[in-house]
Amino acid sequence: MLIVKEVQLAKNYQKWNLARNQYLKRKSKVHWLYLVNMNTKFFHRMLKARRNTNRIFNIRDNLGVTRNDMNGIAGAFVEFYTSLLGTKSRDRMRVCSATVKQGHVVSPKQRGMMIAEFTIEEMKQALWDISGDKALGPDGYGSQFFKDCWGIRVIKEW
């Protein structure tokens, strides 16, 4: 009797601990959004850091010359995409052409695993490996919704 109660209390603890951690993560996101919207030094530092991670400082053009000025970088992009105009996709070099030229990347065993049927248990395990506070999917539901509703059986009548 005590063992059953201990197991039940342990499960209850895990449930509430998970809920607490999710609450704290969401609370930190709210704090972040509050600080961002205050137009503070913190906000401007974060904006500058994000801008720098999305910026291209240099690029190698079609001739292999490294360009690091804005006009040279823009010109390299225009030149590259202009050279693609009017060509067929089979004539173009792929982005990872060096990797493709090395040979088979996926082994036959791996290929078989990729096309193999999967079980409901494997699907459940994959879902449970996703954090519950991830962004919503295109259908408006997050992974936590599917975890919470996993045990519900839907009977379809056609």
Side-chain angles (χ1 to χ4, degrees):
M1 188 67 164
L2 289 176
I3 294 174
V4 172
K5 187 162 180 129
E6 181 182 359
V7 169
Q8 183 182 12
L9 288 172
K11 286 182 180 179
N12 202 14
Y13 169 77
Q14 288 176 341
K15 178 181 118 180
W16 288 110
N17 193 35
L18 177 65
R20 178 180 173 272
N21 288 338
Q22 288 177 345
Y23 167 76
L24 291 175
K25 284 182 182 179
R26 288 187 180 117
K27 186 176 177 183
S28 70
K29 287 180 182 180
V30 168
H31 182 67
W32 160 253
L33 290 173
Y34 174 75
L35 288 175
V36 167
N37 288 331
M38 288 184 58
N39 201 16
T40 59
K41 284 184 184 179
F42 173 75
F43 167 72
H44 288 285
R45 279 196 311 263
M46 296 307 293
L47 190 65
K48 186 176 181 180
R50 181 169 171 81
R51 192 179 308 131
N52 283 338
T53 59
N54 292 331
R55 192 168 167 207
I56 298 173
F57 291 102
N58 59 40
I59 192 168
R60 199 172 317 137
D61 64 10
N62 287 342
L63 302 175
V65 177
T66 301
R67 305 289 181 173
N68 54 15
D69 61 299
M70 292 303 289
N71 291 333
I73 292 171
F77 275 101
V78 169
E79 179 184 332
F80 175 77
Y81 287 106
T82 303
S83 70
L84 293 180
L85 290 174
T87 62
K88 296 186 179 187
S89 62
R90 66 177 175 267
D91 299 334
R92 295 185 200 145
M93 291 291 287
R94 300 288 184 242
V95 174
C96 298
S97 59
T99 304
V100 173
K101 289 177 183 175
Q102 289 177 0
H104 298 289
V105 177
V106 179
S107 71
K109 181 180 177 184
Q110 292 168 327
R111 225 176 286 133
M113 289 171 57
M114 290 171 61
I115 62 172
E117 294 291 324
F118 53 89
T119 65
I120 296 294
E121 286 304 314
E122 290 172 324
M123 187 174 13
K124 182 178 179 182
Q125 182 60 46
L127 178 62
W128 260 252
D129 287 343
I130 301 171
S131 176
D133 61 349
K134 293 291 183 184
L136 302 178
D139 56 2
Y141 297 106
S143 60
Q144 190 61 46
F145 170 81
F146 293 105
K147 291 178 189 179
D148 292 343
C149 298
W150 185 264
I152 299 173
R153 298 258 183 214
V154 177
I155 300 172
K156 294 183 179 179
E157 294 182 22
W158 296 96

